[in-house]
Amino acid sequence: MIKVAIIEDDHDIRQSLGLIIHHTEGFECQQCFESCEAALEALAANPPHVVLMDINLPGMTGIEGAAILKKKHPHTDIMMLTIREDDQAVFDSLCAGATGYLLKNTPPAQLLQAIKELHAGGSPMSSHIARRVLLSFRPQAESPLSARETEILGLLCEGHHYKRIAEQLFVSGHTVRSHIKNIYYKLQVNSRAEAVRKATKDKLI
Amino acid sequence: MIKVAIIEDDHDIRQSLGLIIHHTEGFECQQCFESCEAALEALAANPPHVVLMDINLPGMTGIEGAAILKKKHPHTDIMMLTIREDDQAVFDSLCAGATGYLLKNTPPAQLLQAIKELHAGGSPMSSHIARRVLLSFRPQAESPLSARETEILGLLCEGHHYKRIAEQLFVSGHTVRSHIKNIYYKLQVNSRAEAVRKATKDKLI
DNA sequence: CTAAAAATACCTCATTTGAGCGATTGACTC
DNA sequence: GAGTCAATCGCTCAAATGAGGTATTTTTAG
């Protein structure tokens, strides 16, 4: 039995979602809310398995709500509800803590299927959004660094000092400094911290 | 017209995939290969729109091949072919440069649909894999830092010096030092570089 | 209300770092 | 054969950093 809660400000949509879930074997509509604020308070004691959350809510948005809800109840899966496939809003929701989303005009059978998948550890999403998520965690740019420089940057990121790096690479400390200066120039930075940041951000290491 | 190339060592699978694509309106099977090595050489001059690539290939694996192919031809979309939903291999492929994958026993209609979606900028994948991808780029752990410390860590990551941070926060340099010492302690690191690395890795900022 | 945590401030010292210079060798390209 | 780039080594110096302490004042939480 999958316990579901609904957070949606539109009365009609809320009702119809509730009815669909309530009348389906294996699903239970635990509670319905008009706002995140109300839901967060009421669900604290008895978190559901799945929350269907509208993205555009009055007061706290669904995105903010998802972040807070996920923080309080890490085991609750959040499915965002959206009218259109607005890339950015959906993407932000997924970053905030949601693990799936549905278009509001999704037919009941697919809706129930998606909730099942979500609860079983999946993340229902269109292939378009999936691509977006995929690209966001892959290196974008081509590395301008040579192999040796990349190697040194890696050691730099691990927090080693010049001396330590020099020892590990069997070269003099001076050489390491020169390399690091070149790295800084190529990455257009002028401190270790910035270099490390850029390196991890652009997945250069 | 979507130009497709196939890299698959099993003769029967290669043939049947080729036939399906060849006989479908809007698709063209450009070439078939038994290995990445052969494909990389032959495709250099005339890259296809989509490559169907077996994960388990003799010689260079599909994962390695995907990385090289994507590097040479960034505009070619790579669809991995796999027998079973082996999480790790599929996930590694997506990291390497593939933007979608298919099970080998996918029926022709779905296969063609997936290729279409891939070419249109989507990333066909099961909701299970999607969850995996999603989790990989979201912060895992709870931040142990206070709001102020997080703020300072953010400035640290941008490469600012103690003085600069102190000025921006309207506190003394001594205060900044104290905070940073606490941050280092909490993150279990002992240098700027490590702190920045940990911060970006765990998405603390 | 009381205790813990966070934010603030100060001191000193050895070490590390970034910036500014230059130079040689070998590999690869055009 | 000239030119570029990577990799190596060298020097100096002021400034920034990390490590070692201690202490006061708010806030927050129990």
Side-chain angles (χ1 to χ4, degrees):
Chain A
M1 181 71 87
I2 304 176
K3 287 192 295 179
V4 181
I6 298 169
I7 309 176
E8 160 68 63
D9 61 320
D10 183 287
H11 180 269
D12 294 347
I13 297 179
R14 193 170 63 241
Q15 288 297 316
S16 74
L17 284 174
L19 284 174
I20 291 169
I21 290 164
H22 185 68
H23 287 106
T24 305
E25 191 75 31
F27 291 84
E28 182 190 340
C29 184
Q30 193 180 307
Q31 266 179 300
C32 294
F33 306 93
E34 293 182 34
S35 74
C36 285
E37 288 84 348
L40 284 169
E41 201 173 327
L43 295 178
N46 187 21
H49 295 127
V50 171
V51 171
L52 302 183
M53 166 105 74
D54 187 17
I55 287 192
N56 290 303
L57 289 168
M60 188 188 302
T61 70
I63 297 175
E64 294 160 350
I68 298 174
L69 188 64
K70 193 68 190 177
K71 193 163 185 168
K72 282 197 181 175
H73 309 291
H75 295 300
T76 295
D77 287 318
I78 302 172
M79 178 94 81
M80 303 309 283
L81 300 173
T82 178
I83 298 172
R84 55 198 189 77
E85 285 222 9
D86 176 343
D87 264 27
Q88 195 56 48
V90 171
F91 185 73
D92 289 345
S93 303
L94 294 175
C95 290
T99 34
Y101 77 95
L102 281 173
L103 294 178
K104 287 196 186 176
N105 59 11
T106 301
Q110 276 181 40
L111 181 134
L112 293 167
Q113 175 60 29
I115 294 175
K116 254 191 218 164
E117 280 184 28
L118 185 77
H119 186 244
S123 284
M125 62 177 74
S126 76
S127 68
H128 195 248
I129 296 288
R131 170 80 68 114
R132 176 102 199 251
V133 171
L134 200 54
L135 291 181
S136 78
F137 90 117
R138 272 220 308 244
Q140 312 291 334
E142 192 62 13
S143 171
L145 304 179
S146 70
R148 191 62 156 180
E149 286 163 350
T150 304
E151 190 179 7
I152 288 178
L153 183 58
L155 294 168
L156 219 51
C157 287
E158 283 165 32
H160 299 299
H161 296 162
Y162 286 170
K163 278 187 186 172
R164 186 141 214 59
I165 296 174
E167 283 166 18
Q168 265 185 44
L169 301 183
F170 304 106
V171 297
S172 87
H174 298 296
T175 305
V176 175
R177 295 174 92 88
S178 289
H179 281 305
I180 291 180
K181 265 187 282 191
N182 288 333
I183 292 170
Y184 287 1
Y185 173 72
K186 288 188 185 176
L187 298 186
Q188 290 287 294
V189 301
N190 39 25
S191 78
R192 246 182 153 69
E194 283 180 277
V196 172
R197 179 182 176 66
K198 196 143 196 160
T200 50
K201 192 160 162 269
D202 295 355
K203 307 260 180 352
L204 300 178
I205 43 151
Chain B
M1 180 71 86
I2 304 176
K3 285 192 295 179
V4 181
I6 299 169
I7 308 175
E8 161 69 61
D9 61 321
D10 184 287
H11 178 268
D12 293 348
I13 297 179
R14 193 170 65 240
Q15 289 296 316
S16 73
L17 285 173
L19 284 175
I20 292 169
I21 290 164
H22 185 69
H23 287 106
T24 305
E25 191 76 31
F27 292 83
E28 183 191 337
C29 184
Q30 192 180 308
Q31 267 179 298
C32 293
F33 305 93
E34 292 182 36
S35 74
C36 286
E37 288 84 350
L40 284 168
E41 200 173 327
L43 295 177
N46 186 20
H49 297 127
V50 171
V51 171
L52 302 184
M53 167 105 74
D54 187 17
I55 287 191
N56 291 304
L57 289 168
M60 188 188 301
T61 71
I63 298 175
E64 293 160 351
I68 297 174
L69 189 64
K70 193 69 190 178
K71 195 163 185 168
K72 282 196 182 176
H73 309 291
H75 296 299
T76 295
D77 287 318
I78 303 171
M79 178 95 79
M80 302 309 283
L81 301 173
T82 178
I83 298 173
R84 55 199 189 79
E85 285 224 7
D86 176 342
D87 264 30
Q88 195 56 47
V90 171
F91 185 73
D92 288 345
S93 303
L94 295 175
C95 289
T99 34
Y101 78 95
L102 281 173
L103 293 178
K104 288 196 185 176
N105 58 11
T106 302
Q110 275 182 41
L111 179 133
L112 294 166
Q113 175 60 30
I115 295 176
K116 256 191 216 164
E117 280 184 29
L118 185 78
H119 185 244
S123 283
M125 62 177 74
S126 76
S127 68
H128 196 249
I129 296 287
R131 170 79 69 114
R132 176 102 200 252
V133 171
L134 200 53
L135 291 180
S136 78
F137 91 117
R138 271 218 311 243
Q140 312 292 335
E142 191 63 13
S143 171
L145 304 179
S146 70
R148 191 61 154 179
E149 286 164 348
T150 304
E151 192 180 6
I152 288 177
L153 183 58
L155 293 168
L156 219 50
C157 288
E158 285 167 29
H160 297 299
H161 295 164
Y162 287 172
K163 278 187 185 172
R164 186 140 214 61
I165 296 174
E167 282 165 21
Q168 263 184 44
L169 301 182
F170 303 107
V171 298
S172 87
H174 298 295
T175 306
V176 174
R177 295 177 92 88
S178 290
H179 281 305
I180 290 180
K181 266 188 284 190
N182 288 334
I183 292 171
Y184 286 1
Y185 174 73
K186 287 188 185 176
L187 297 186
Q188 291 287 294
V189 301
N190 40 21
S191 79
R192 244 181 154 72
E194 282 181 279
V196 172
R197 181 182 175 65
K198 196 145 197 158
T200 50
K201 191 159 162 271
D202 295 355
K203 307 260 178 359
L204 300 177
I205 44 153

